[in-house]
Amino acid sequence: MGRYVVGVDLGTLSGRAVVVDVVDGAERGGAVHAYRHGVLTERLPGGPALPPGWALQDPADHVEVLRTAVPAAVRAAGIDPAEVVGIGVDATSCTVLPTLADGTPLAELPDLRDRPHAWPKLWKHHAAQRQAERITALAEARGEGWLSRYGGRVSAEWQLAKALEMLEEDPAVFHRAEHWVETADWLVRRLCGRATRNASAAGFKGLRQDGRDPDAGFLAALHPELPGLLAKLDHGPLLPPAARAGLLTEEAAGWTGLPAGVPVAAGAIDAHVTAAAARTVAPGRMLAVLGTSTCLILNAERRHEVPGVCGVVADGVTAGHWGYEAGQSGVGDIFAWYVERGLPAAYAEEAARRGLSPQDLLDALAADQPVGGHGLLALDWHSGNRSVLMDHELSGVLVGLTLATRPEDIWRALLEATAFGARTVLEAFGSAGLAVDELTVAGGLTANRLLLRVYADVLRRPLHVLAAAHPAALGAAIHAAVAAGVYPDVERASAAMGAAHRETVHPDPARADAYDDLYADYRTLHDHFGRGGTDLLHRLHARRARRPAPADPSSPG
């Protein structure tokens, strides 16, 4: 038997592949491929403008990762491709696309290229908030038992809200779609030629509980034609985490440079496979993936009802445990927004003069501030709120501005806001009786030293920082090792192949005490705008939605 597996992680802006040793999880080679179209938020490529709140992707960008990053990673590893024994794929979720029965994306059909609903809706597509609210209200009125397993609310990011939005706004596209597929499952089909559905996405994003999707009666009460969705979801067997979906086809072998017949693992959610990479699959060990958004993953022995949680699913992360997911829909996105749109030119010039990134300059200027010294408080809702309010028509708030406020003050307030948002989620878990004994952090934002210090102080707990450049891709490789039969389960594969901690960041008691006071004010602001004063933020959102579409930069004149 060979000794290598390949993990492929399809992120928000790029995809990456790694070649990993099955013995110890050491990365032998890797490659990253940036999507040509990135995230489509303004308009379709060469097509019409998109309304506010939309976020789409091009399925061809995802396939290009398989064609370019996988062979490049194998070349970088310097191994014989014949030594690869398995491949695993994860993707963002809920990122869903409508397809024909043979797997062809509707977005690739010439007559549907200009129809936005034919394109894959990224996890951060938040335009279905009103549909999500109606689904929640109906589930409450009917006493649907599954609702409590999603913290009492259905998210606009999830499968059903996006499908209902499609049906109501473009019924022709809804009926043209023969399958409604998570991106990870669609990519697995491209690799092995077999349609499957991964149980994690079906449970966490598709409202599937106790072996059942929401029933036809419930769907019909939302829209008389919505029960047609059930046939679109029934596109293959439901597979648990790390199950074998099939074998690499000759066609996919030609793209990837791997041998035909290599086992392909079931599709997976990016944050969930990262738990395997972080060795946090044991109960009580929480993983926080800090990136564009934040996902918080926890396994437990029993099911608890956690208000505002994004889902609790049996066998959702690993077999034999209840998997929990929560998170924040904007973290790294908020920081990127501020640098791109809020930073004065003089700061960018100073950063260039010092040979620093703008983020590093802001960190350096803000690092020595006393807690609360900037006099600011922010709400981290620039991309809506995932947990615990699950409302994507909320928006960011910044209070305390004066004529003396400096850019680094706002920067630090935004870092702190995301830490306060994370604390809100952890407190919800604790109030529900779920112990978080250990917290590990992973993802691109762990490179920010100031952010780690702020999080440790705000959360009042040590942060174990994962030493892995591509943790989700490593997790996908760990799933591939299980699918290939190298290990009998994810737990044992994780123990052998998971990454070590790079360091542990401990809270400073004095700063933590000061942050307790500031957090109390954050909760006052959070509850006012998120629970009592939502009408104001919703009205602002509605006005923003009525603004004219941006001009097409490619149009003449």
Side-chain angles (χ1 to χ4, degrees), residues 285-361:
R285 295 182 176 179
M286 177 175 276
L287 169 69
V289 183
L290 307 178
T292 305
S293 65
T294 286
C295 285
L296 297 154
I297 304 297
L298 181 73
N299 263 342
E301 300 285 1
R302 295 185 300 277
R303 177 172 62 85
H304 298 253
E305 294 183 358
V306 184
V309 75
C310 296
V312 51
V313 176
D315 307 323
V317 177
T318 62
H321 293 104
W322 287 91
Y324 293 78
E325 180 184 328
Q328 297 159 262
S329 51
V331 179
D333 261 0
I334 297 175
F335 310 149
W337 160 82
Y338 182 67
V339 169
E340 178 183 346
R341 303 196 178 186
L343 193 66
Y347 275 68
E349 292 165 2
E350 177 65 13
R353 187 184 69 78
R354 295 194 195 183
L356 299 173
S357 69
Q359 294 90 332
D360 287 342
L361 175 64

Coordinates of all heavy atoms in Angstrom, one line a residue, residues 285-361:
R285 N -13.7 19.3 23.6 CA -12.7 20.1 22.9 C -13.3 20.9 21.7 O -13.7 20.3 20.7 CB -11.6 19.1 22.3 CG -10.8 18.4 23.4 CD -9.8 17.5 22.8 NE -9.0 16.8 23.8 CZ -8.0 16.0 23.5 NH1 -7.7 15.7 22.2 NH2 -7.3 15.4 24.5
M286 N -13.4 22.2 21.9 CA -14.0 23.0 20.9 C -12.9 23.5 19.9 O -11.8 23.9 20.3 CB -14.7 24.2 21.5 CG -15.3 25.2 20.5 SD -16.3 26.5 21.2 CE -17.9 25.6 21.4
L287 N -13.3 23.6 18.7 CA -12.4 24.2 17.6 C -13.1 25.5 17.1 O -14.3 25.5 16.8 CB -12.3 23.2 16.5 CG -11.7 23.8 15.2 CD1 -10.2 24.1 15.4 CD2 -11.8 22.9 14.0
A288 N -12.3 26.5 17.0 CA -12.7 27.8 16.4 C -11.9 28.0 15.2 O -10.7 28.1 15.3 CB -12.6 29.0 17.4
V289 N -12.5 28.0 14.0 CA -11.8 28.2 12.7 C -12.0 29.7 12.4 O -13.1 30.2 12.1 CB -12.4 27.4 11.6 CG1 -11.6 27.6 10.3 CG2 -12.3 25.9 12.0
L290 N -10.9 30.5 12.5 CA -10.9 31.9 12.4 C -10.5 32.3 11.0 O -9.3 32.2 10.6 CB -10.0 32.6 13.4 CG -10.2 32.2 14.9 CD1 -9.2 32.9 15.7 CD2 -11.6 32.5 15.3
G291 N -11.4 32.7 10.1 CA -11.1 33.0 8.8 C -12.1 34.1 8.3 O -12.4 35.0 9.0
T292 N -12.5 34.0 7.1 CA -13.5 34.9 6.5 C -14.7 35.1 7.5 O -15.1 36.2 7.7 CB -13.9 34.5 5.1 OG1 -12.8 34.3 4.3 CG2 -14.9 35.5 4.5
S293 N -15.1 33.9 7.9 CA -16.1 33.9 9.0 C -15.5 33.0 10.1 O -14.4 32.6 10.0 CB -17.4 33.2 8.5 OG -17.2 31.9 8.1
T294 N -16.2 32.8 11.1 CA -15.8 31.9 12.2 C -16.8 30.7 12.4 O -18.0 31.0 12.4 CB -15.6 32.6 13.5 OG1 -14.5 33.4 13.5 CG2 -15.4 31.6 14.7
C295 N -16.2 29.5 12.4 CA -17.1 28.4 12.7 C -16.6 27.8 14.0 O -15.3 27.6 14.2 CB -17.0 27.3 11.6 SG -17.9 27.7 10.2
L296 N -17.5 27.4 14.9 CA -17.2 26.8 16.2 C -17.7 25.4 16.2 O -19.0 25.2 16.0 CB -17.7 27.6 17.3 CG -17.2 29.0 17.5 CD1 -18.1 30.0 18.1 CD2 -15.9 29.0 18.2
I297 N -16.9 24.4 16.4 CA -17.3 23.0 16.3 C -17.0 22.3 17.6 O -15.9 22.5 18.2 CB -16.5 22.3 15.1 CG1 -16.7 23.0 13.8 CG2 -16.9 20.8 15.0 CD1 -18.1 23.1 13.3
L298 N -18.0 21.5 18.0 CA -17.8 20.8 19.3 C -18.6 19.4 19.2 O -19.7 19.3 18.7 CB -18.5 21.6 20.4 CG -18.4 21.0 21.9 CD1 -16.9 21.1 22.4 CD2 -19.3 21.7 22.8
N299 N -17.9 18.4 19.7 CA -18.6 17.1 19.9 C -19.0 16.9 21.3 O -18.3 17.4 22.2 CB -17.6 15.9 19.5 CG -17.8 15.5 18.0 OD1 -18.9 15.7 17.4 ND2 -16.8 14.8 17.5
A300 N -20.1 16.2 21.5 CA -20.6 15.9 22.9 C -21.2 14.5 22.9 O -21.7 14.0 21.9 CB -21.6 17.0 23.3
E301 N -21.3 14.0 24.1 CA -22.0 12.7 24.3 C -23.5 12.7 24.2 O -24.1 11.7 23.8 CB -21.6 12.1 25.7 CG -20.1 11.9 25.9 CD -19.5 10.7 25.1 OE1 -20.3 10.0 24.4 OE2 -18.3 10.5 25.2
R302 N -24.1 13.9 24.6 CA -25.5 14.0 24.6 C -26.0 15.2 23.8 O -25.2 16.1 23.5 CB -26.0 14.1 26.0 CG -25.7 12.8 26.9 CD -26.3 12.9 28.2 NE -25.8 14.1 29.0 CZ -24.7 14.1 29.7 NH1 -24.0 13.0 29.7 NH2 -24.3 15.1 30.3
R303 N -27.3 15.2 23.5 CA -27.9 16.3 22.8 C -28.4 17.3 23.8 O -29.1 17.0 24.7 CB -29.0 15.8 21.9 CG -29.7 17.0 21.1 CD -30.7 16.4 20.1 NE -31.7 15.6 20.7 CZ -32.9 16.1 21.2 NH1 -33.1 17.4 21.2 NH2 -33.8 15.3 21.7
H304 N -28.0 18.6 23.6 CA -28.5 19.7 24.4 C -29.1 20.7 23.4 O -28.7 20.8 22.3 CB -27.4 20.4 25.2 CG -26.7 19.5 26.2 ND1 -26.9 19.7 27.5 CD2 -25.8 18.5 26.0 CE1 -26.2 18.8 28.2 NE2 -25.5 18.0 27.3
E305 N -30.1 21.4 23.9 CA -30.7 22.5 23.1 C -30.0 23.8 23.5 O -30.0 24.2 24.6 CB -32.2 22.6 23.4 CG -33.0 21.3 22.9 CD -34.5 21.5 23.1 OE1 -34.9 22.5 23.6 OE2 -35.2 20.5 22.7
V306 N -29.4 24.4 22.5 CA -28.6 25.6 22.7 C -29.2 26.7 21.8 O -29.1 26.7 20.6 CB -27.1 25.3 22.2 CG1 -26.3 26.6 22.5 CG2 -26.5 24.1 22.9
P307 N -29.8 27.7 22.5 CA -30.4 28.8 21.7 C -29.3 29.5 20.8 O -28.2 29.8 21.3 CB -30.8 29.8 22.8 CG -31.0 28.9 24.1 CD -30.0 27.8 23.9
G308 N -29.7 29.6 19.6 CA -28.8 30.3 18.6 C -27.8 29.4 18.0 O -27.0 29.9 17.2
V309 N -27.7 28.2 18.4 CA -26.7 27.3 17.7 C -27.1 27.0 16.3 O -28.3 27.1 15.9 CB -26.6 26.0 18.5 CG1 -27.7 25.1 18.3 CG2 -25.3 25.2 18.2
C310 N -26.1 26.8 15.4 CA -26.4 26.6 14.0 C -26.8 25.1 13.7 O -27.2 24.8 12.6 CB -25.2 26.9 13.1 SG -24.7 28.6 13.2
G311 N -26.8 24.3 14.7 CA -27.3 22.9 14.5 C -26.6 22.0 15.5 O -25.4 22.1 15.9
V312 N -27.3 20.9 15.9 CA -26.8 19.8 16.6 C -27.3 18.5 15.8 O -28.5 18.4 15.6 CB -27.2 19.8 18.1 CG1 -28.7 19.9 18.3 CG2 -26.7 18.5 18.7
V313 N -26.3 17.7 15.4 CA -26.7 16.6 14.5 C -26.0 15.3 15.0 O -24.8 15.3 15.3 CB -26.2 16.9 13.1 CG1 -26.4 15.7 12.1 CG2 -26.9 18.2 12.5
A314 N -26.7 14.3 15.1 CA -26.1 13.0 15.5 C -25.2 12.5 14.4 O -25.5 12.5 13.2 CB -27.2 11.9 15.7
D315 N -24.0 12.1 14.8 CA -22.9 11.7 13.9 C -22.5 12.8 12.9 O -22.0 12.5 11.8 CB -23.3 10.4 13.1 CG -23.8 9.3 14.0 OD1 -23.2 9.1 15.1 OD2 -24.8 8.6 13.7
G316 N -22.8 14.0 13.2 CA -22.6 15.1 12.3 C -21.1 15.5 12.0 O -20.8 15.9 10.9
V317 N -20.3 15.3 13.0 CA -18.9 15.6 12.9 C -18.1 14.3 12.8 O -17.2 14.1 12.0 CB -18.4 16.5 14.0 CG1 -16.9 16.8 13.8 CG2 -19.1 17.8 13.9
T318 N -18.3 13.4 13.8 CA -17.8 12.0 13.8 C -18.9 11.1 14.3 O -19.8 11.5 15.0 CB -16.5 11.9 14.7 OG1 -16.9 12.2 16.1 CG2 -15.4 12.8 14.3
A319 N -18.7 9.8 13.9 CA -19.7 8.8 14.3 C -19.7 8.6 15.8 O -18.7 8.6 16.4 CB -19.4 7.5 13.6
G320 N -20.9 8.5 16.4 CA -21.0 8.1 17.8 C -21.2 9.3 18.7 O -21.3 9.2 19.9
H321 N -21.1 10.6 18.2 CA -21.3 11.8 19.0 C -22.3 12.7 18.4 O -22.6 12.6 17.2 CB -19.9 12.5 19.1 CG -18.9 11.7 19.9 ND1 -17.8 11.1 19.3 CD2 -18.8 11.5 21.2 CE1 -17.1 10.5 20.2 NE2 -17.6 10.7 21.4
W322 N -22.8 13.6 19.2 CA -23.6 14.7 18.7 C -22.6 15.8 18.3 O -21.8 16.3 19.2 CB -24.6 15.2 19.8 CG -25.7 14.2 20.0 CD1 -25.8 13.2 20.9 CD2 -27.0 14.2 19.3 NE1 -27.0 12.5 20.8 CE2 -27.7 13.1 19.8 CE3 -27.5 15.0 18.3 CZ2 -29.0 12.8 19.3 CZ3 -28.8 14.7 17.8 CH2 -29.5 13.6 18.3
G323 N -22.7 16.3 17.1 CA -21.9 17.4 16.6 C -22.6 18.7 16.7 O -23.8 18.8 16.4
Y324 N -22.0 19.7 17.2 CA -22.5 21.0 17.3 C -21.8 22.0 16.4 O -20.5 21.9 16.4 CB -22.5 21.5 18.8 CG -23.3 20.8 19.8 CD1 -22.9 19.5 20.2 CD2 -24.5 21.3 20.2 CE1 -23.7 18.8 21.1 CE2 -25.3 20.6 21.1 CZ -24.9 19.4 21.6 OH -25.7 18.7 22.4
E325 N -22.5 22.9 15.8 CA -21.9 24.0 15.1 C -22.5 25.3 15.4 O -23.7 25.4 15.5 CB -22.0 23.8 13.5 CG -21.3 24.8 12.7 CD -21.5 24.7 11.2 OE1 -21.6 23.5 10.8 OE2 -21.6 25.7 10.5
A326 N -21.7 26.3 15.6 CA -22.1 27.7 15.7 C -21.1 28.6 15.0 O -20.1 28.1 14.4 CB -22.2 28.1 17.2
G327 N -21.3 29.9 15.0 CA -20.3 30.7 14.4 C -20.7 32.2 14.2 O -21.8 32.6 14.6
Q328 N -19.9 32.9 13.5 CA -20.0 34.3 13.2 C -19.9 34.4 11.7 O -18.9 34.0 11.1 CB -19.0 35.1 13.9 CG -19.2 35.1 15.4 CD -17.9 35.5 16.1 OE1 -17.1 34.6 16.5 NE2 -17.6 36.8 16.3
S329 N -20.8 35.1 11.0 CA -20.8 35.2 9.6 C -19.8 36.2 9.0 O -19.6 36.2 7.8 CB -22.2 35.4 9.0 OG -22.8 36.5 9.7
G330 N -19.3 37.0 9.8 CA -18.2 37.9 9.3 C -17.2 38.1 10.4 O -17.5 38.6 11.5
V331 N -15.9 37.8 10.0 CA -14.8 38.1 10.9 C -13.6 38.6 10.0 O -13.4 39.8 9.9 CB -14.3 36.8 11.7 CG1 -13.2 37.2 12.6 CG2 -15.5 36.4 12.6
G332 N -12.9 37.8 9.4 CA -11.9 38.3 8.5 C -12.4 39.2 7.4 O -11.8 40.1 7.0
D333 N -13.7 39.0 7.0 CA -14.3 39.8 6.0 C -14.4 41.3 6.5 O -14.3 42.2 5.8 CB -15.8 39.3 5.7 CG -15.8 38.5 4.4 OD1 -14.8 38.3 3.8 OD2 -16.9 38.0 4.1
I334 N -14.7 41.4 7.8 CA -14.8 42.7 8.4 C -13.5 43.5 8.4 O -13.4 44.6 8.0 CB -15.4 42.6 9.9 CG1 -16.8 42.0 9.9 CG2 -15.4 44.0 10.6 CD1 -17.3 41.8 11.3
F335 N -12.4 42.7 8.8 CA -11.1 43.3 8.8 C -10.7 43.8 7.4 O -10.1 44.8 7.1 CB -10.1 42.4 9.4 CG -10.5 41.8 10.7 CD1 -10.1 40.5 11.1 CD2 -11.3 42.5 11.6 CE1 -10.4 40.0 12.3 CE2 -11.7 42.0 12.8 CZ -11.2 40.7 13.2
A336 N -11.0 42.9 6.4 CA -10.6 43.2 5.0 C -11.4 44.4 4.5 O -10.9 45.2 3.8 CB -10.9 42.0 4.1
W337 N -12.7 44.5 4.9 CA -13.5 45.6 4.5 C -12.9 46.9 5.0 O -12.8 47.9 4.3 CB -14.9 45.4 5.0 CG -15.7 46.7 5.1 CD1 -16.4 47.3 4.1 CD2 -15.9 47.5 6.3 NE1 -17.0 48.5 4.5 CE2 -16.7 48.6 5.9 CE3 -15.4 47.4 7.6 CZ2 -17.0 49.7 6.8 CZ3 -15.8 48.5 8.5 CH2 -16.6 49.5 8.1
Y338 N -12.5 46.9 6.3 CA -12.0 48.2 6.8 C -10.7 48.6 6.1 O -10.5 49.8 5.8 CB -11.7 48.0 8.3 CG -11.3 49.3 8.9 CD1 -12.1 50.4 9.0 CD2 -10.0 49.4 9.4 CE1 -11.7 51.6 9.5 CE2 -9.5 50.6 10.0 CZ -10.4 51.7 10.0 OH -9.9 52.9 10.5
V339 N -9.8 47.6 5.9 CA -8.5 48.0 5.2 C -8.8 48.5 3.8 O -8.2 49.4 3.3 CB -7.6 46.8 5.2 CG1 -6.4 47.0 4.3 CG2 -7.1 46.5 6.6
E340 N -9.7 47.8 3.1 CA -10.0 48.2 1.7 C -10.8 49.5 1.6 O -10.5 50.3 0.7 CB -10.8 47.1 1.0 CG -11.2 47.3 -0.4 CD -12.0 46.3 -1.0 OE1 -12.1 45.2 -0.4 OE2 -12.6 46.5 -2.1
R341 N -11.7 49.7 2.5 CA -12.7 50.9 2.3 C -12.6 52.0 3.3 O -13.2 53.0 3.2 CB -14.1 50.3 2.2 CG -14.3 49.3 1.1 CD -15.7 49.0 0.7 NE -15.8 48.1 -0.3 CZ -16.9 47.7 -0.9 NH1 -18.1 48.3 -0.6 NH2 -17.0 46.8 -1.9
G342 N -11.9 51.7 4.5 CA -11.9 52.7 5.5 C -10.6 53.2 5.9 O -10.5 54.2 6.7
L343 N -9.5 52.7 5.3 CA -8.2 53.1 5.8 C -7.7 54.4 5.0 O -7.7 54.4 3.8 CB -7.2 52.0 5.5 CG -5.8 52.1 6.2 CD1 -6.0 52.1 7.7 CD2 -4.9 51.0 5.8
P344 N -7.3 55.4 5.7 CA -6.8 56.6 5.0 C -5.6 56.3 4.1 O -4.8 55.4 4.5 CB -6.4 57.6 6.1 CG -7.2 57.1 7.3 CD -7.3 55.6 7.1
A345 N -5.4 57.0 3.1 CA -4.3 56.8 2.2 C -3.0 57.0 2.9 O -2.0 56.3 2.6 CB -4.4 57.7 1.0
A346 N -2.9 57.9 3.8 CA -1.7 58.2 4.5 C -1.2 56.9 5.3 O 0.0 56.7 5.4 CB -1.8 59.3 5.5
Y347 N -2.1 56.1 5.8 CA -1.8 54.9 6.6 C -1.2 53.9 5.6 O -0.3 53.2 5.9 CB -3.0 54.4 7.3 CG -3.2 55.1 8.7 CD1 -3.5 56.4 8.8 CD2 -3.0 54.4 9.9 CE1 -3.7 57.0 10.0 CE2 -3.2 55.0 11.1 CZ -3.5 56.3 11.2 OH -3.7 56.9 12.4
A348 N -1.9 53.7 4.5 CA -1.4 52.8 3.5 C 0.0 53.2 3.0 O 0.9 52.3 2.9 CB -2.3 52.7 2.3
E349 N 0.3 54.5 2.8 CA 1.6 54.9 2.4 C 2.6 54.7 3.5 O 3.8 54.3 3.2 CB 1.5 56.4 2.1 CG 0.7 56.7 0.8 CD 0.3 58.1 0.7 OE1 0.8 58.9 1.5 OE2 -0.4 58.5 -0.3
E350 N 2.2 54.9 4.8 CA 3.1 54.6 5.9 C 3.5 53.2 6.0 O 4.6 52.8 6.3 CB 2.5 55.2 7.2 CG 3.4 54.9 8.4 CD 4.7 55.6 8.5 OE1 4.9 56.5 7.6 OE2 5.5 55.3 9.3
A351 N 2.5 52.3 5.8 CA 2.7 50.9 5.9 C 3.7 50.5 4.8 O 4.7 49.7 5.0 CB 1.4 50.1 5.7
A352 N 3.5 51.0 3.6 CA 4.5 50.7 2.5 C 5.9 51.2 2.8 O 6.9 50.5 2.5 CB 3.9 51.3 1.2
R353 N 5.9 52.4 3.4 CA 7.3 52.9 3.7 C 8.0 52.0 4.7 O 9.2 51.8 4.6 CB 7.1 54.3 4.3 CG 8.4 55.1 4.5 CD 8.2 56.4 5.1 NE 7.8 56.3 6.5 CZ 8.6 56.0 7.5 NH1 9.9 55.8 7.3 NH2 8.1 55.9 8.7
R354 N 7.2 51.5 5.6 CA 7.8 50.6 6.7 C 8.0 49.2 6.2 O 8.6 48.3 6.9 CB 7.0 50.6 7.9 CG 6.9 51.9 8.6 CD 6.3 51.7 10.0 NE 5.8 52.9 10.7 CZ 5.3 52.9 11.9 NH1 5.2 51.8 12.6 NH2 4.9 54.0 12.5
G355 N 7.5 48.8 5.0 CA 7.6 47.5 4.6 C 6.6 46.5 5.3 O 6.9 45.3 5.4
L356 N 5.5 47.1 5.7 CA 4.5 46.3 6.5 C 3.2 46.3 5.6 O 2.9 47.1 4.8 CB 4.1 47.0 7.8 CG 5.3 47.2 8.8 CD1 4.8 48.0 10.0 CD2 5.7 45.8 9.3
S357 N 2.3 45.3 5.9 CA 1.0 45.3 5.4 C 0.2 46.3 6.2 O 0.5 46.7 7.4 CB 0.3 43.9 5.6 OG 0.1 43.6 6.9
P358 N -0.9 46.8 5.6 CA -1.7 47.8 6.4 C -2.2 47.2 7.7 O -2.3 47.8 8.8 CB -2.9 48.1 5.5 CG -2.3 47.9 4.1 CD -1.4 46.7 4.2
Q359 N -2.6 45.8 7.7 CA -3.0 45.2 8.9 C -1.9 45.2 10.0 O -2.2 45.4 11.2 CB -3.5 43.7 8.6 CG -4.7 43.6 7.7 CD -4.4 43.6 6.2 OE1 -3.3 44.1 5.8 NE2 -5.2 43.0 5.4
D360 N -0.7 44.9 9.6 CA 0.4 44.9 10.5 C 0.7 46.2 11.1 O 1.0 46.4 12.3 CB 1.7 44.3 9.9 CG 1.6 42.8 9.6 OD1 0.8 42.1 10.2 OD2 2.4 42.3 8.8
L361 N 0.5 47.3 10.3 CA 0.7 48.6 10.8 C -0.4 49.0 11.8 O -0.1 49.5 12.9 CB 0.7 49.6 9.7 CG 0.7 51.1 10.1 CD1 2.0 51.4 10.8 CD2 0.5 52.0 8.9

